[in-house]
Amino acid sequence: RVDERKTILDVVKEESNRHGYETMGPCIMMPRLRYGSFEVQPEAATVVTPGEIDPKNFVTLRYRWHGAKGVYAYGKTMIDVSQIPTEELQVEAENVHAPLCHYCPRQEGYYSPQYVTSLFRVNHYLDSFEAYTYRKDIRVELRQSVDRYNTLAKEGNHSMDTEGSHWLQEFVQDMGSENAKMLLAGAGIFPRLDWSLWKILWG
């Protein structure tokens, strides 16, 4: 179990010292776990009074059903850029899953970092349909498909997470109620934005 007071960088340094930097390398692969859109009632065990911080504003508390572990292809990467020559950082990334092909293993549909043995893991939340369609990027047309959304949602209904639902209570305890409210202000809220700039950039 990782000490809750350690940062990600602390863990990376410890593991590098333990196994040798050459073993880990500058590109750390992280498997993903898909969380679907089946919403559960957030637990009421919180140290803040009702109305101060709404647990429903956080996808980690609203959506706790996820897919089977170890079957979600294409992980994410975390790269220690201090260990990579500057000129190699100036080239176009091959893809978002393995941006530096010389340092990151190429990921195919049948390859993904091992979930059980991986040092880090990434929880991938589908979120609500509003959130899913909110982002305007190169995949905007796919994001407008209800059928695609429902298909992805079904992939995240294998079992329910019972480990990560207490973080809000612990966060408020550590930071204090006032600091927690300030740091979490606006979480889960989708502002109305003018997407005209996006249309100019993406056509």
Side-chain angles (χ1 to χ4, degrees):
R1 179 178 173 85
V2 177
D3 189 307
E4 64 271 14
R5 297 298 179 182
K6 292 179 180 177
T7 66
I8 291 177
L9 182 59
D10 291 333
V11 176
V12 170
K13 288 181 176 179
E14 285 185 2
E15 293 299 314
S16 296
N17 292 333
R18 181 180 305 169
H19 301 291
Y21 176 79
E22 295 76 11
T23 301
M24 293 187 63
C27 182
I28 298 176
M29 309 295 289
M30 301 178 292
R32 290 188 288 174
L33 180 62
R34 166 86 72 186
Y35 280 72
S37 60
F38 183 76
E39 187 169 355
V40 300
Q41 184 67 28
E43 295 181 359
T46 174
V47 296
V48 294
T49 59
E52 287 189 324
I53 299 178
D54 188 352
K56 290 186 177 181
N57 287 343
F58 306 96
V59 295
T60 53
L61 302 179
R62 289 176 61 186
Y63 306 105
R64 293 169 55 190
W65 281 84
H66 58 74
K69 296 178 179 179
V71 300
Y72 194 1
Y74 299 108
K76 294 293 186 179
T77 57
M78 180 166 53
I79 300 175
D80 181 359
V81 296
S82 69
Q83 303 296 328
I84 298 175
T86 303
E87 58 272 15
E88 296 194 35
L89 296 173
Q90 297 174 342
V91 300
E92 183 176 351
E94 181 175 347
N95 62 70
V96 68
H97 301 287
L100 296 174
C101 58
H102 290 179
Y103 299 94
C104 304
R106 183 179 179 85
Q107 298 190 62
E108 304 292 348
Y110 53 82
Y111 173 81
S112 182
Q114 294 297 312
Y115 187 89
V116 175
T117 59
S118 290
L119 188 59
F120 299 103
R121 302 159 186 165
V122 176
N123 290 344
H124 193 105
Y125 290 87
L126 182 62
D127 208 335
S128 64
F129 187 69
E130 176 192 12
Y132 180 75
T133 57
Y134 179 78
R135 190 170 66 181
K136 308 298 182 182
D137 58 18
I138 197 170
R139 295 178 294 179
V140 62
E141 292 185 3
L142 287 175
R143 293 185 183 279
Q144 302 304 314
S145 171
V146 176
D147 291 338
R148 175 176 170 78
Y149 176 82
N150 290 335
T151 298
L152 295 174
K154 292 178 181 178
E155 296 177 0
N157 290 336
H158 180 270
S159 55
M160 190 173 77
D161 170 34
T162 59
E163 300 175 353
S165 60
H166 303 290
W167 72 264
L168 179 58
Q169 179 181 5
E170 296 174 2
F171 181 80
V172 175
Q173 289 175 335
D174 286 346
M175 302 303 300
S177 180
E178 292 303 316
N179 285 334
K181 285 190 294 182
M182 177 187 67
L183 293 169
L184 298 176
I189 299 174
F190 295 90
R192 296 183 179 276
L193 300 178
D194 181 2
W195 294 110
S196 58
L197 178 60
W198 174 85
K199 293 179 181 180
I200 295 175
L201 294 174
W202 294 99

